[in-house]
C-alpha cells in the first residue's frame, strides 16, 4: 500500500520541468524502455509496471512506436487520481491492449493474468520501501518475469548508497546486468537487468512490499 500522507498526484509535478532530476530520470528510463521494445523479436510483448503513477514512462514511448507493435501492458497504481490520468491518456492514444489497474502493487494478486512479463518496470519503487522489502521484491521477480525478460529499476544513490547491494541481489537471482546509469550531476540511478533463469508460477496473496 502507498503512504497516504504523500500527495502522489502532486508528486508528478516535477515531470513538467525539463530541468528537474525527475524529468532527466524519466528520459533515461524511456530510452531503456524504447530499446527493449524495439529489440524484442517475440510477439506479443507483455509489460508490467509496478506503482505506475500516471504511466508517463511507458505511455510516452508507446505513443512514439509504430501502431503495429504488438504490446500488451498492465499498469498497477494505487492512487485513484493517477489511475484516472493514465486511463484517460490510454484512451486518447487508442491503446486497446494497455490497461491500468487500481490496486496494491505490493501484493502479488494484482498481477493475475499478466504474467510472465517480458518487461517489468520498477521505477520510483525502491526509494519508497524498506531495504528488506526491496530484496524480497527482487527475489520474487522470477514469478513475474518470462525468461529473457528485462527489468528496469530506479534508486537514489544518496548515502547510505545501497545500489551495489541491489545490483548484487539481481545477479544472485539470475539477472544479468545490461546497464547501470548513474549521472554525475544527479543522485538517481537507473538499472537494467535481464533474467536468465527459469520463470516461476505466480503465487497468490504474497505481500512483496509496503510503501513507507
Amino acid at each position: 500500500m502507498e503512504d497516504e500522507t504523500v500527495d502522489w498526484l502532486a508528486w508528478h509535478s516535477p515531470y513538467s520541468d525539463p530541468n528537474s532530476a525527475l524529468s532527466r530520470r524519466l528520459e533515461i528510463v524511456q530510452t531503456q524502455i524504447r530499446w527493449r521494445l524495439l529489440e524484442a523479436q517475440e510477439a506479443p510483448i507483455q509489460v508490467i509496471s509496478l506503482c505506475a503513477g500516471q504511466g508517463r514512462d511507458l505511455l510516452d514511448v508507446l505513443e512514439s512506436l509504430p501502431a503495429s507493435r504488438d504490446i500488451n501492458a498492465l499498469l498497477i497504481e494505487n492512487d485513484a487520481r493517477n489511475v484516472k490520468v493514465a486511463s484517460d491518456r490510454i484512451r486518447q492514444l487508442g491503446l486497446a491492449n494497455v490497461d491500468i489497474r487500481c490496486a496494491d502493487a505490493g501484493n502479488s494478486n494484482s498481477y493475475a493474468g499478466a504474467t510472465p512479463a517480458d518487461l517489468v518496470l520498477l521505477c520510483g519503487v525502491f526509494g519508497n520501501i524498506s531495504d528488506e522489502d526491496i530484496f524480497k521484491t527482487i527475489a520474487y521477480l522470477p514469478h513475474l518475469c518470462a525468461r529473457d525478460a528485462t527489468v528496469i529499476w530506479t534508486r537514489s544513490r544518496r548515502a547510505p548508497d545501497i545500489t551495489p547491494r541491489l545490483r548484487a541481489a539481481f545477479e544472485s537471482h539470475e539477472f544479468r546486468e545490461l546497464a547501470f546509469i548513474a549521472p554525475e550531476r544527479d543522485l538517481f540511478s537507473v538499472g537494467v537487468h535481464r533474467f536468465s533463469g527459469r520463470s516461476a508460477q505466480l503465487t497468490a496473496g504474497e505481500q512483496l512490499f509496503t510503501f513507507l
Side-chain angles (χ1 to χ4, degrees):
M1 295 178 62
E2 293 182 351
D3 185 349
E4 294 180 356
T5 65
V6 177
D7 187 337
W8 292 107
L9 183 67
W11 183 90
H12 289 76
S13 297
Y15 280 126
S16 301
D17 178 5
N19 295 315
S20 72
L22 198 59
S23 65
R24 290 192 293 273
R25 190 188 76 177
L26 176 64
E27 183 178 359
I28 292 172
V29 169
Q30 288 176 338
T31 296
Q32 296 299 322
I33 292 173
R34 185 174 292 106
W35 284 350
R36 167 57 182 142
L37 295 180
L38 290 175
E39 75 175 1
Q41 300 298 317
E42 71 280 5
I45 301 169
Q46 178 67 48
V47 183
I48 293 176
S49 179
L50 290 75
C51 302
Q54 297 173 2
R56 299 187 189 205
D57 47 7
L58 180 62
L59 298 182
D60 287 355
V61 174
L62 294 183
E63 182 180 18
S64 68
L65 289 178
S68 61
R69 297 296 299 177
D70 193 2
I71 298 169
N72 300 318
L74 174 64
L75 287 64
I76 305 294
E77 169 59 33
N78 205 35
D79 187 288
R81 299 167 302 168
N82 284 327
V83 170
K84 185 180 186 308
V85 172
S87 182
D88 289 346
R89 181 89 188 282
I90 291 168
R91 186 167 52 254
Q92 291 167 2
L93 295 175
L95 299 172
N97 295 326
V98 177
D99 186 30
I100 183 161
R101 186 175 292 172
C102 191
D104 177 12
N107 193 286
S108 63
N109 291 345
S110 299
Y111 305 98
T115 60
D118 305 295
L119 175 61
V120 176
L121 305 179
L122 276 161
C123 303
V125 178
F126 288 165
N128 292 292
I129 64 179
S130 69
D131 292 359
E132 180 182 357
D133 281 356
I134 292 174
F135 295 113
K136 184 178 180 180
T137 300
I138 293 172
Y140 192 80
L141 284 173
H143 296 264
L144 302 181
C145 292
R147 185 173 178 84
D148 294 325
T150 300
V151 176
I152 301 174
W153 56 275
T154 63
R155 168 70 194 208
S156 170
R157 290 174 286 118
R158 186 176 293 107
D161 179 10
I162 69 165
T163 58
R165 294 172 57 201
L166 302 193
R167 298 165 72 184
F170 273 99
E171 293 285 349
S172 70
H173 291 287
E174 299 185 277
F175 286 87
R176 177 172 57 89
E177 186 170 276
L178 301 181
F180 181 73
I181 304 161
E184 290 186 6
R185 65 178 293 191
D186 294 305
L187 286 175
F188 70 77
S189 57
V190 178
V192 185
H193 281 78
R194 179 153 295 164
F195 182 49
S196 59
R198 178 178 297 181
S199 298
Q201 186 173 0
L202 187 72
T203 54
E206 295 279 350
Q207 192 65 35
L208 310 180
F209 59 81
T210 302
F211 262 46
L212 296 175

